[in-house]
Each structure stands twice: as C-alpha cells, then as structure tokens.
Amino acid sequence: GENVEQHPSTLSVQEGDSAVIKCTYSDSASNYFPWYKQELGKGPQLIIDIRSNVGEKKDQRIAVTLNKTAKHFSLHITETQPEDSAVYFCAARLYQFYFGTGTSLTVIP
Amino acid sequence: GAGVSQSPSNKVTEKGKDVELRCDPISGHTALYWYRQSLGQGLEFLIYFQGNSAPDKSGLPSDRFSAERTGGSVSTLTIQRTQQEDSAVYLCASSFGTGSNQPQHFGDGTRLSIL
C-alpha cells in the first residue's frame, strides 16, 4: 500500500511570514493529492488539491507543488495570519486515501 | 448546501456497552469513508463504501467493529463491547466517487469517550 510521511510535525511562524509543509509518498501510482486544514473540534476541511498531471496550483495565499519524480508534494502558505493556525494534513490517493500524520501550525501575532 | 452530518457529536458510555455512530453523507455522493482519529494523531482508515460494491473493511481494527450503509446513503458504524482504547473521534467523509479523484468532504465527527 501507500505510505505518506509529513514534516514537520509542528511549525511556528511569525504573522506575515511564509509556512511550508512537506509530504512524501511511496507509490508512484498515486494520482491525487489533497490538503486539509483541521481546526479544534472540527472535521478536516479541504483547502487545496493537485492532480498528478499538474506541477503547481495556487489559490490566493495557498499553493501546492508536486514533484512526481521525487514523489513529494508541498503546501506553501504566504503572508500567514493568526487564523491560519490549525493542524494541516496531506493525503495521497491510491484506490483509497492515505493521510500524513499532520502538522500543527501556529502563527504568532 | 448541507455538508456531511454526523451524530451524536459526543458520546460517553461505559466500557462493555455497544455504541452506534451515524453518518449522513452529502446527497448524491456515492463513496463514504469512516476514519478514527485519536487525540493529536492522524486519520486511521476504518472502512470504505462505494456504491453497491462490497465495502473495503481492511481498516477495521477488530471484529467488534462493523459498519453498514443502507440504501446507498446513511451509514452507521457500530462498536460492540466497547473498550477504553476505542476512545477517539470518529470521522465520516463522502465524495462523488473514486474514479475521477473527487475530494472527500468530512463531517465534524463523533467524539467517543469510554469510561
């Protein structure tokens, strides 16, 4: 099956700085890579996704990049705000979804 | 529009009791997933339903766990003879299907506490 690793497990940044979270996957057949944001007491919410035929996708302050050769993908958040503080999960789809272990992001005002 | 709805939002029960957790997926979504999330941990896959196909039960941790999906819509996850290690948040997600890389939409989960 697929194995997804996510780093770092915790990340603190100053408001306005950028945050980068990285994930690697093991099976080159995985073809869809969503990112989720989970706030306390809530379910994960999809924030951005990328398909294997695309190298980069951007939505306002959030971007995701995919390197199929190296089998890794990254989430980039620019101009961070305190409301970006949450736990972020990456996932890879191979028949079913395989999730990373999460990154707890804290944005310091 | 309505999202994925899970009930109850919280459940406290005594060890050894059976519990039923309910998930109402988004209307029209053919795929439904159950996950377990322990405190501060990632998502552990439990079971997956796709249309009328046989469910993928490969993630169920023991035979005390079972799930069904009636009429291709509502699903219930049942845990029999609950143990303290069953305490966790149980999340349900649904999607349009699996063949076209549709994203999952999650409910807010049921927080299960076993005393």
Side-chain angles (χ1 to χ4, degrees):
Chain A
E2 174 65 281
N3 181 46
V4 177
E5 295 189 356
Q6 183 172 346
H7 299 281
S9 57
T10 60
L11 179 60
S12 291
V13 299
Q14 292 289 332
E15 181 177 358
D17 287 351
S18 295
V20 180
I21 303 170
K22 299 181 179 181
C23 288
T24 61
Y25 60 100
S26 60
D27 197 315
S28 58
S30 289
N31 55 12
Y32 174 63
F33 307 91
W35 284 89
Y36 291 88
K37 175 183 180 182
Q38 187 175 30
E39 297 176 328
L40 198 62
K42 298 289 187 181
Q45 181 178 20
L46 178 73
I47 55 172
I48 196 167
D49 56 10
I50 192 167
R51 288 165 174 76
S52 59
N53 59 346
V54 175
E56 183 174 0
K57 182 177 179 180
K58 188 173 182 180
D59 183 4
Q60 299 183 347
R61 297 186 296 109
I62 295 173
V64 56
T65 59
L66 172 65
N67 183 327
K68 288 196 299 181
T69 303
K71 295 201 286 287
H72 68 70
F73 55 113
S74 300
L75 177 70
H76 304 254
I77 306 174
T78 58
E79 301 172 18
T80 53
Q81 301 167 3
E83 52 265 38
D84 294 331
S85 296
V87 178
Y88 291 81
F89 290 96
C90 63
R93 169 100 197 286
L94 176 67
Y95 311 118
Q96 57 164 285
F97 289 87
Y98 297 84
F99 286 83
T101 50
T103 296
S104 178
L105 173 65
T106 301
V107 179
I108 303 166
Chain B
V4 177
S5 178
Q6 292 189 246
S7 60
S9 55
N10 288 281
K11 177 73 176 178
V12 181
T13 192
E14 294 180 345
K15 176 182 171 182
K17 300 287 188 183
D18 297 352
V19 295
E20 277 193 359
L21 312 180
R22 177 187 170 103
C23 173
D24 280 278
I26 293 173
S27 178
H29 280 194
T30 59
L32 187 148
Y33 307 77
W34 283 99
Y35 296 91
R36 179 167 69 176
Q37 187 175 33
S38 300
L39 188 63
Q41 301 298 309
L43 281 72
E44 176 189 3
F45 167 76
L46 297 177
I47 188 169
Y48 152 54
F49 297 89
Q50 169 54 40
N52 295 321
S53 302
D56 177 353
K57 304 179 181 180
S58 60
L60 294 178
S62 77
D63 59 7
R64 296 187 296 106
F65 288 73
S66 63
E68 62 177 23
R69 188 178 186 193
T70 54
S73 181
V74 172
S75 177
T76 55
L77 176 69
T78 300
I79 309 174
Q80 296 179 311
R81 306 180 302 281
T82 52
Q83 303 295 313
Q84 287 187 330
E85 60 263 29
D86 299 335
S87 295
V89 175
Y90 289 82
L91 291 162
C92 175
S94 69
S95 69
F96 267 119
T98 59
S100 55
N101 295 323
Q102 292 293 325
Q104 295 178 310
H105 300 267
F106 283 85
D108 285 337
T110 292
R111 184 162 285 97
L112 177 64
S113 299
I114 310 298
L115 303 178

